[in-house]
Amino acid sequence: MALKNTQVLLAARPQGWVTESDFRIVETDIPSPNDGEILVKNTWLSLDPYMRGRMSDRKSYAKPVDVGAVMIGGTVGEVIESKNPAFAKGDLVVGTLGWQEYAVTDGRAVRKVDPSLPHSVYLGTVGMPGVTAWLGLIDFGTPKAGETVVVSAASGAVGSVVGQLAKSRGCRAVGIAGGAEKCAYVTRELGFDACVDYKDPSFEKALAEATPNGVDVYFENVGGPVLDAVLPRLNAFARIPLCGLIADYNAIEPYAVKHFGALLTNRVRLQGFIVSEHLDRWPTALAELSQLVREGKLVYRETVAHGLREAPRAFIGLLKGQNLGKQVVKLA
Amino acid sequence: MALKNTQVLLAARPQGWVTESDFRIVETDIPSPNDGEILVKNTWLSLDPYMRGRMSDRKSYAKPVDVGAVMIGGTVGEVIESKNPAFAKGDLVVGTLGWQEYAVTDGRAVRKVDPSLPHSVYLGTVGMPGVTAWLGLIDFGTPKAGETVVVSAASGAVGSVVGQLAKSRGCRAVGIAGGAEKCAYVTRELGFDACVDYKDPSFEKALAEATPNGVDVYFENVGGPVLDAVLPRLNAFARIPLCGLIADYNAIEPYAVKHFGALLTNRVRLQGFIVSEHLDRWPTALAELSQLVREGKLVYRETVAHGLREAPRAFIGLLKGQNLGKQVVKLA
């Protein structure tokens, strides 16, 4: 066939903020599956903050993307040719097939999903970000009814689920987000008890007012000055699931944390984690998340970019907080 | 009797470094026990870094000592009069009777100990600091044979026990201490595999050389730049029992931690703790510690000040790291 496979490659390792010139868009031949393999046409691409780490060769928990290689990324797609008996043409599959329109895989890295839910949900609320929220809050945050749960980046793909799950456990859910629009979304649509705007000059005062009984669980996605504002609000025996530090990802020098001592005085348990190292918990998490979505008890919004060529710009917007809810790319 | 009770009171809340004028020494009448009470003549007083926190009214895990009240402190003493059937004249008791020569107590806050060990050991290796080391390392550090355990303030009452317990679990034990003399003590007398001098200009390089396989457990007593030197050495899934941050205790502004991000990239579990909140673990800890001391497998040194009037000066020396091993005061 005359069709080509559009791909986005990592062109250069960014210094500080990512720019569009750090990516290169190419067209290659569509690969053919061998025995045991399938050819997938990707229909949705996920954009996530962790990708910033993979662009860098700073020491991290995962190997970086090689310069010249296809950018890593979660995808939803349709099987268009199968030489693997476990898959049939037309199956809907979720995997990590990267920033490209077509990919061949042996099937071990993808799983079939129910096409009756909106397909892009498998990249967000019923996918990696949703499981991240579930695992961090339930397993590492161990929230108890009546406690106060605070989450940063509350309007994002992870944070939005954290707060709704906290409410489902009988907790007070307080979000931190950037700007009045995002805060209104967090309280009015997502049902958090409060949301505080970190860009507002009275942020610290507003945070104190929103957490009159202190903070028992702080689900951390951002770090930086937001972290330093929350640390003094922690209660004794508070828990911090440490999921992300997006404030540092584009910084040349990381932010220095002033109130580290609060971890001692409050006997805090902090746990850094990445969701891909806890695969045993995914089935339990996904079962609850998909059920809640079906019942309308777990809501979400998406910011959709159209076409793979828009992915670099949308990713930069994500890092700058320009999205509302889960950032995805609808492929042509 | 004509004897008087010498007491050391908190005279003022220190700003920055503690000075002798923050204390006031007084002589009062020796109290008499009522029914159910005992009168104890203290023979040893413990000096510990946590006392600095109790002198301040900065938010912490414990109420501060009131200005004008007797300074808090662990003691070993002899029962000299008993109106409580659980105690007899001559019993050796350990408790927290404060910076004074005599005290009356109802007996709930003291426990009888075996007089066949050197009495002051109950303030150190077989007392609160020893249990602190045991609890932090065993319960929160969860060391496995072959792993590398690093402990700061390694020549101190807690650190010295941490390293020896780590060796007993088959770990590589690496100390951090201030000065060549302390480091020599840590390796030669305490049997650590290595000890690094944080005052040496090549500290970071020496730390890297002493931890060729990275750091799996970091038992933290000091904080400050030492913490920032260790964080980049952490391995994936490292644990940090957070026991103390003595570098901050006399600072007006706490030290800002640069490498906080290492907690995320290495999926670290950090647990702040204070030993008095884990009383259920004390019997197990004390049983092992006293057995190891009897067998000569757990060694220690003490720095002894003579007479209660020397306690303020000795305490200031402790905060400046002038002691070697456990700092105690032998009462007259």
Side-chain angles (χ1 to χ4, degrees), chain A residues 14-307:
Chain A
Q15 302 297 318
W17 283 99
V18 176
T19 63
E20 291 189 52
S21 64
D22 295 325
F23 302 95
R24 187 164 77 247
I25 298 172
V26 297
E27 299 212 329
T28 59
D29 289 337
I30 295 175
S32 291
N34 292 316
D35 276 356
E37 294 182 330
I38 56 177
L39 174 63
V40 178
K41 180 180 192 307
N42 292 326
T43 51
W44 294 90
L45 169 67
S46 181
L47 296 178
D48 302 277
Y50 80 84
M51 295 167 173
R52 176 63 184 84
R54 305 294 181 90
M55 298 176 77
S56 162
D57 52 10
R58 190 189 286 179
K59 183 188 174 191
S60 188
Y61 45 73
K63 277 200 313 185
V65 174
D66 289 328
V67 172
V70 176
M71 275 292 295
I72 188 172
T75 50
V76 171
E78 185 185 330
V79 176
I80 57 173
E81 186 180 351
S82 176
K83 293 186 175 172
N84 179 323
F87 295 87
K89 196 168 175 233
D91 279 349
L92 188 70
V93 292
V94 175
T96 306
L97 300 181
W99 294 29
Q100 56 187 342
E101 293 178 330
Y102 296 87
V104 161
T105 170
D106 64 10
R108 283 180 297 186
V110 298
R111 60 191 167 87
K112 284 191 276 192
V113 290
D114 175 359
S116 74
L117 285 180
H119 297 185
S120 57
V121 80
Y122 297 112
L123 299 179
T125 304
V126 188
M128 185 273 286
V131 176
T132 300
W134 189 97
L135 177 78
L137 181 67
I138 305 303
D139 282 4
F140 301 129
T142 59
K144 291 185 279 289
E147 290 190 326
T148 297
V149 174
V150 173
V151 58
S152 53
S155 70
V158 174
S160 60
V161 177
V162 170
Q164 293 178 81
L165 286 175
K167 291 297 293 178
S168 80
R169 264 53 176 187
C171 297
R172 176 173 175 80
V174 177
I176 299 173
E181 186 198 2
K182 285 184 178 178
C183 285
Y185 164 66
V186 166
T187 51
R188 289 180 205 162
E189 290 190 36
L190 302 179
F192 285 44
D193 296 286
C195 188
V196 187
D197 178 3
Y198 72 83
K199 295 178 175 174
D200 191 291
S202 62
F203 166 54
E204 294 193 20
K205 181 162 171 287
L207 179 65
E209 287 169 1
T211 57
N213 299 317
V215 176
D216 300 294
V217 180
Y218 179 45
F219 192 109
E220 175 60 301
N221 288 310
V222 305
V226 171
L227 172 60
D228 258 333
V230 176
L231 286 172
R233 301 289 311 151
L234 294 179
N235 288 330
F237 312 111
R239 287 81 66 194
I240 301 181
L242 179 60
C243 175
L245 292 169
I246 195 170
D248 279 350
Y249 295 174
N250 287 287
I252 302 291
E253 284 290 320
Y255 176 85
V257 178
K258 294 185 188 72
H259 296 300
F260 187 88
L263 302 179
L264 174 61
T265 50
N266 298 302
R267 293 85 85 202
V268 172
R269 185 181 72 212
L270 176 150
Q271 177 73 62
F273 72 99
I274 58 172
V275 69
S276 56
E277 290 176 337
H278 302 271
L279 295 179
D280 59 312
R281 300 297 279 156
W282 281 58
T284 307
L286 288 171
E288 177 174 353
L289 294 165
S290 57
Q291 184 62 28
L292 289 172
V293 167
R294 275 179 212 288
E295 292 171 356
K297 294 178 180 167
L298 181 53
V299 301
Y300 61 94
R301 268 212 232 173
E302 292 173 343
T303 298
V304 182
H306 292 272

